[in-house]
Amino acid sequence: MRTPEMWIDQGAGWTNVTAHDGETCALAAFGIEWGTDDPLEAPDPSVMTATLVDRTGRLAANPRTLAGMRVMIRLPHALTWGDIGAAAGQWQAQRYEWRSAHRRLPRKDPADPFTGAGLTLFRGRLNTGGTITRKGDTWRISLKATSDLALLKRVTTQGPTDPKQPGYHWTGGRTAVMREITRRLAALGLPLKTQPDTPPAGDTAPYGTDSYPQLLTVITDTIGVDTDLLMYRLYESFDDDRDGEHTIIVAVNGVARIGISADGRIEHVRDSSLLTVDQATLQIPEPVTQVKINGRKATWDDDKKTVSYNDHEANINAAGTLPANLTANEKSASLDTNSILADESSGHWTGTPADTDAMKANAIAWIANRTLRAAPAGISASSAFIDPDTDPTIFKPEPATWAFTANLFSPLISDDGRPALNGPWLAIGGTIEYDGRRLTSTPTFTPLRTPGDPPAWQDIPDAPFTWQQVKATWAEFEQITR
């Protein structure tokens, strides 16, 4: 693995302050907190803390220039021959082995952070504060930065209006609101790259003109809950190119399939022998027996001759579908949304309300999945064992689907024959840390649902693999869905 790099932009373009020979600083360590630890909560902007070793004192002597500075953490991939410029010189002059060449050879353009492929782990702006300390003949600078998603908390400009809906903004229903959200994200340099395959159904209520909600609040209210009780969340994401920063919408309680390849590899499974699970635990979830959806309803104001929008609460109870011992104490999961759950306008409102009957069936399935599955915690992946070049999704600060086989918890089989870590899991947040030698990713997981019942052996005709190729127990094989 190549060493991570910190790039800063003081207004004149990106500058690498942590390259190895003759540069101002070295990157001693960093940590990135990303996403959320609860699928009921929208992800916060990522926070990056870093320690720089300033050899010359140039940055340490000018701390005021650091506040508000653009900063980026990138992990360059191993260079290919095409990435290497003439500055490398002749092979006869090199004094290192082939296996270390990718760490030693210079780029074609050392001033361009996007020469060659790589992983962008963070982009944002440095906060005020931090510390400067002396250690030996160098200076240690501790910095903190917030990702570009924070821009969405600072934008409170009101949304589009409609003469037919006086007193309101962000009008036009969910489709029109999403169109304006997409435009504003692009203008902020965070274009919306992917949206749900099935857009959230039902319309949303506008905001009163006396309100100035943050753009991030508008997005969460608009995409947060749909008729299938899918909870969509906005995340930052990065591609390898210079225009790679964008946003994606992910269903954090959706449905995922787990397939198996012709050579016996189970989809989404990470090699458990390469993961650090010694300190891992299973978190027994607090039982949830009902979902409370705090939404809106459309009513008709006969005095003003206009549609108005009021708070509306829908309660979906799943007590009858859970074991009796889990329903002794009622516990609600609350979801806030701008979705219109009920129409009491006597036909004056022309939008489409969310279907609470469909919500009920899906809410019950989600409650059971959340309540009956213990979630893994403390499972980490290290670049000492997993090469980020070959499995980059593990080290990206964005959602990814995981599945588990042949691990510490494999001997734990429930009464219904399912292993403790059965089924797909979604990484919804976590930490990415660098200690000067290696990267370590520790995700936070939430369970995903699978479509229907697992297949029987006869449902997988003419499987070309042998049992010796499948790194799974009989019980873990049950989680395959296709």
Side-chain angles (χ1 to χ4, degrees):
M1 185 193 84
R2 288 176 66 86
T3 304
E5 301 170 341
M6 176 181 284
W7 295 73
I8 61 173
D9 183 0
Q10 295 175 292
W14 292 107
T15 300
N16 185 355
V17 295
T18 57
H20 306 295
D21 296 324
E23 292 297 339
T24 303
C25 300
L27 185 57
F30 68 78
I32 299 169
E33 294 184 7
W34 67 275
T36 179
D37 59 3
D38 187 345
L40 298 175
E41 303 292 336
D44 284 321
S46 299
V47 175
M48 185 271 294
T49 56
T51 301
L52 289 176
V53 179
D54 186 354
R55 302 184 181 98
T56 66
R58 183 173 65 84
L59 282 179
N62 297 277
R64 66 186 181 279
T65 65
L66 297 175
M69 185 187 300
R70 296 272 292 149
V71 62
M72 175 171 59
I73 299 289
R74 250 178 92 78
L75 177 66
H77 284 328
L79 294 180
T80 65
W81 182 252
D83 296 324
I84 300 170
Q90 295 182 338
W91 278 114
Q92 295 88 330
Q94 311 308 322
R95 294 294 181 268
Y96 43 79
E97 298 175 326
W98 275 103
R99 62 184 178 182
S100 64
H102 68 284
R103 296 193 301 268
R104 300 285 299 275
L105 294 171
R107 307 166 186 253
K108 283 182 180 176
D109 184 358
D112 184 356
F114 302 103
T115 297
L119 287 179
T120 299
L121 302 177
F122 180 86
R123 239 190 243 191
R125 288 187 180 275
L126 292 173
N127 302 337
T128 55
T131 61
I132 300 171
T133 57
R134 182 79 171 179
K135 187 171 183 179
D137 57 356
T138 64
W139 300 93
R140 296 291 177 113
I141 307 175
S142 296
L143 303 171
K144 187 174 183 178
T146 306
S147 73
D148 288 335
L149 199 64
L151 294 172
L152 308 188
K153 288 191 170 185
R154 300 174 191 146
V155 176
T156 57
T157 308
Q158 292 192 331
T161 57
D162 184 345
K164 297 179 181 179
Q165 292 185 285
Y168 293 100
H169 66 111
W170 285 107
T171 59
R174 196 189 304 268
T175 300
V177 169
M178 280 304 303
R179 188 182 306 118
E180 178 63 15
I181 286 173
T182 301
R183 188 192 69 79
R184 294 192 181 194
L185 287 172
L188 291 169
L190 293 166
L192 186 58
K193 183 174 182 180
T194 59
Q195 297 196 38
D197 294 334
T198 303
D203 273 321
T204 54
Y207 297 84
T209 49
D210 59 346
S211 65
Y212 293 84
Q214 299 172 352
L215 180 57
L216 188 58
T217 298
V218 174
I219 294 171
T220 302
D221 285 348
T222 302
I223 67 176
V225 180
D226 78 342
T227 58
D228 289 332
L229 202 81
L230 287 178
M231 295 180 290
Y232 292 104
R233 300 290 181 253
L234 186 79
Y235 281 88
E236 294 168 285
S237 181
F238 304 100
D239 284 339
D240 284 342
D241 58 27
R242 68 189 65 252
D243 299 317
E245 187 173 17
H246 53 266
T247 48
I248 56 176
I249 293 176
V250 178
V252 295
N253 67 329
V255 175
R257 296 180 179 272
I258 299 178
I260 188 166
S261 64
D263 60 0
R265 288 182 296 109
I266 299 177
E267 191 175 13
H268 305 307
V269 168
R270 320 292 178 173
D271 189 340
S272 295
S273 66
L274 302 180
L275 299 176
T276 302
V277 297
D278 293 344
Q279 304 301 318
T281 60
L282 289 179
Q283 300 289 333
I284 301 173
E286 186 176 8
V288 171
T289 58
Q290 65 178 3
V291 175
K292 183 172 70 173
I293 304 174
N294 304 309
R296 311 282 280 166
K297 68 178 177 181
T299 61
W300 176 251
D301 189 327
D302 204 44
D303 294 331
K304 297 180 180 179
K305 303 300 179 185
T306 185
V307 175
S308 60
Y309 304 90
N310 307 104
D311 293 338
H312 182 80
E313 183 179 295
N315 289 292
I316 302 172
N317 195 296
T321 65
L322 297 173
N325 64 300
L326 297 180
T327 60
N329 297 314
E330 286 202 353
K331 170 71 174 179
S332 295
S334 294
L335 298 171
D336 297 324
T337 177
N338 236 26
S339 294
I340 296 177
L341 305 178
D343 178 12
E344 300 177 6
S345 67
S346 302
H348 292 280
W349 180 65
T350 58
T352 304
D355 185 348
T356 53
D357 288 337
M359 278 186 174
K360 182 175 181 179
N362 287 286
I364 291 173
W366 174 73
I367 288 173
N369 197 48
R370 172 188 171 96
T371 302
L372 299 178
R373 294 175 67 183
I379 293 178
S380 62
S382 171
S383 62
F385 306 109
I386 300 175
D387 189 346
D389 284 347
T390 58
D391 200 349
T393 59
I394 287 181
F395 300 97
K396 278 189 172 184
E398 61 186 71
T401 303
W402 289 53
F404 299 96
T405 63
N407 60 75
L408 177 70
F409 301 106
S410 292
L412 300 179
I413 309 296
S414 64
D415 291 341
D416 63 4
R418 301 192 176 197
L421 292 182
N422 180 70
W425 299 84
L426 184 70
I428 58 172
T431 61
I432 298 173
E433 299 173 302
Y434 175 68
D435 62 2
R437 296 179 301 160
R438 61 188 60 143
L439 274 178
T440 301
S441 173
T442 307
T444 298
F445 295 104
T446 191
L448 297 176
R449 290 173 288 160
T450 53
D453 295 325
W457 178 249
Q458 58 265 30
D459 296 328
I460 309 177
D462 303 323
F465 48 80
T466 64
W467 277 113
Q468 290 86 346
Q469 292 177 277
V470 182
K471 294 182 179 180
T473 65
W474 275 101
E476 289 167 339
F477 194 76
E478 181 263 356
Q479 65 188 317
I480 297 169
T481 55
R482 58 180 177 183

